[in-house]
Amino acid sequence: MSRFLFVVPPLVGHVNPAVGVAAELAARGHLTAWAGLPEAIAPLAGPDAEIHPCAVAPPTDRAPAPALLEEAYRRPPELRGTAALKYLWESFLIPLADSMAPGIEAAITRFRPDVLVVDQQAVAGALIAERHGLPWATSATTSAEFTGALAGLPLVESWIRGLLDGLRGRIGDPGRATDPRFSPHLVLAFTTPELTGPTADGAGRPIRFVGPAITPRPTEPPFPWAWLDPGRATALVTLGTANTDTGAAFLTACHRAVRERSHRLQAVIADPGRVLGAPPPDADVLVLPAVPQLRLLEHLDAVVCHAGHNTVCESLWHGVPLVVAPIRDDQPVVAGQVAASGAGVRVRFGRTDATRLGQALDEVVDNTAHRAAARRIGDSFRAAGGAAAAATHLEQLTRPRSELAEEPSP
């Protein structure tokens, strides 16, 4: 029996993949615990999860800490490209690491883990594990960074490394030089090469493609299942929970595009920010603040989304093709992967009207090649092993540390 400490940011899309892995480890007799914000972890990991609380700093221009967890991640809607990336690192990821550090230290003292499993966006866990001499694995909830997303932006990469060096000086071991975004022991990638394509990784990192760690949600919102019409195709439109302040025009265009195709298509629109108001339910478009996404995917013919990694992978797991409209961060990279794999169509988020969205929906619903590609990727996800494969790789990190140090990179 070994002890695994999961270190996660307060973001649903980053906690969810780890939940399945933690459950698999527990089923094998290991002890698991969490370091992070309890309000973000408990609803997903369940009431029996051992959670060691960490403070979470809000973005630097907002105080006090927001009541809604995703508000801590939400940025001004006009930010795109490098401006959005700069805000992400300076106003969220670095303050998050500084604020989580004391809680992670306390969790290590109390729980005495053998291995830390550290989310890509909770880099404090990696730096502190390194300082304690503990093996750690990276939980990579998106593949963007090891597929060369910053390869053409050397100044941006250098700037990020400078921020991380400063953070290491405050909470880590200044004598080390390991990139805390990528463990030298194990990087768990919750995807497969069938979606990502070749990785642009010249550092020989120990990346293990395990596919999505799909696990049932402990709780889910209600849904009127009888509303689904088996005689028509059904699409889901979702922009996630971190983009509610940017999506009014896009969701409105989607609403109109579906209405124009109501003779053959119905849609569920997830609108957590209620930017569409409160339209009465009808037979063609159902607008809800939240949906049981995993269960709903079993009934869908298409998904329109922002190319968030979890939504993309969950859709492809179910063989559902996509219309992807990336907004920022890793989303353009993931959207490019979807389009290149043939599993969907990419549209421009800020310049797409109802006509273009309708055409994209027609393409993914009517062109069987997209569904075939989605199913092929879904098959690769299941073959990769998911949470079970991830747990097996993590178990290998509990070997004597001398063996880990001597193990050559693949």
Side-chain angles (χ1 to χ4, degrees):
M1 181 179 66
S2 299
R3 306 168 77 89
F4 295 87
L5 178 65
F6 288 77
V7 183
V8 293
L11 303 169
V12 170
H14 292 250
V15 178
N16 265 334
V19 167
V21 180
E24 177 67 23
L25 288 167
R28 298 184 185 191
H30 302 293
L31 294 179
T32 64
W34 298 81
L37 191 65
E39 296 92 327
I41 299 169
L44 302 172
D48 297 327
E50 178 180 340
I51 303 172
H52 298 265
C54 295
V56 174
T60 55
D61 61 347
R62 301 179 194 178
L68 295 175
L69 298 177
E70 297 291 345
E71 283 290 338
Y73 184 66
R74 201 166 291 158
R75 286 156 284 167
E78 68 275 7
L79 292 183
R80 297 286 192 276
T82 56
L85 186 65
K86 184 174 186 292
Y87 188 96
L88 172 67
W89 277 97
E90 287 186 337
S91 299
F92 182 66
L93 296 184
I94 296 300
L96 176 69
D98 280 317
S99 61
M100 287 184 69
I104 297 169
E105 289 279 5
I108 290 175
T109 299
R110 291 195 298 265
F111 183 64
R112 295 175 289 107
D114 299 297
V115 174
L116 276 74
V117 186
V118 182
D119 184 88
Q120 278 176 309
Q121 294 196 351
V123 291
L127 292 172
I128 294 171
E130 183 181 68
R131 178 161 52 77
H132 281 270
L134 291 168
W136 55 282
T138 298
S139 174
T141 54
T142 178
S143 61
E145 287 188 319
F146 54 78
T147 55
L150 298 178
L153 301 169
L155 293 179
V156 173
E157 176 63 24
S158 177
W159 174 75
I160 291 174
R161 287 184 177 274
L163 292 177
L164 292 172
D165 288 344
L167 182 64
R168 174 179 271 111
R170 296 191 296 276
I171 67 173
D173 180 353
R176 301 292 188 93
T178 304
D179 189 332
R181 294 170 294 177
F182 309 103
S183 168
H185 309 298
L186 173 65
V187 177
L188 293 172
F190 294 100
T191 184
T192 62
E194 281 75 9
L195 175 59
T196 67
T199 58
D201 179 37
R205 297 187 181 105
I207 299 171
R208 300 292 181 265
F209 290 93
V210 299
I214 303 292
T215 184
R217 308 286 194 252
T219 60
E220 60 181 14
F223 187 84
W225 297 104
W227 176 86
L228 296 172
D229 179 0
R232 290 185 289 176
T234 304
L236 169 66
V237 180
T238 176
L239 296 177
T241 55
N243 301 295
T244 57
D245 51 0
T246 66
F250 187 85
L251 294 183
T252 299
C254 287
H255 193 286
R256 178 182 169 189
V258 175
R259 280 252 181 258
E260 293 172 350
R261 289 158 177 77
S262 59
H263 62 288
R264 59 190 295 266
L265 181 70
Q266 61 177 180
V268 179
I269 299 180
D271 183 16
R274 299 188 183 276
V275 297
L276 295 180
D282 59 48
D284 305 321
V285 183
L286 183 62
V287 180
L288 297 171
V291 298
Q293 184 165 297
L294 277 181
R295 288 185 61 198
L296 187 58
L297 282 165
E298 299 173 10
H299 304 272
L300 297 180
D301 300 277
V303 169
V304 182
C305 71
H306 58 306
H309 194 263
N310 278 357
T311 298
V312 165
C313 288
E314 289 173 1
S315 300
L316 296 176
W317 175 277
H318 288 87
V320 180
L322 299 118
V323 175
V324 284
I327 303 173
R328 53 195 171 194
D329 301 333
D330 65 320
Q331 296 158 18
V333 177
V334 176
Q337 293 173 357
V338 170
S341 71
V345 174
R346 178 175 181 170
V347 297
R348 298 186 68 173
F349 177 79
R351 299 185 182 180
T352 300
D353 56 17
T355 299
R356 292 186 180 91
L357 279 167
Q359 292 169 345
L361 268 170
D362 291 341
E363 173 67 16
V364 298
V365 170
D366 296 338
N367 187 340
T368 58
H370 295 301
R371 180 167 289 274
R375 287 174 174 167
R376 173 178 54 80
I377 295 170
D379 289 343
S380 78
F381 285 171
R382 282 179 282 278
T392 297
H393 289 306
L394 287 168
E395 286 175 325
Q396 294 172 358
L397 293 188
T398 62
R399 292 177 295 166
R401 291 176 196 169
S402 59
E403 294 181 24
L404 291 175
E406 295 170 1
E407 184 176 84
S409 297

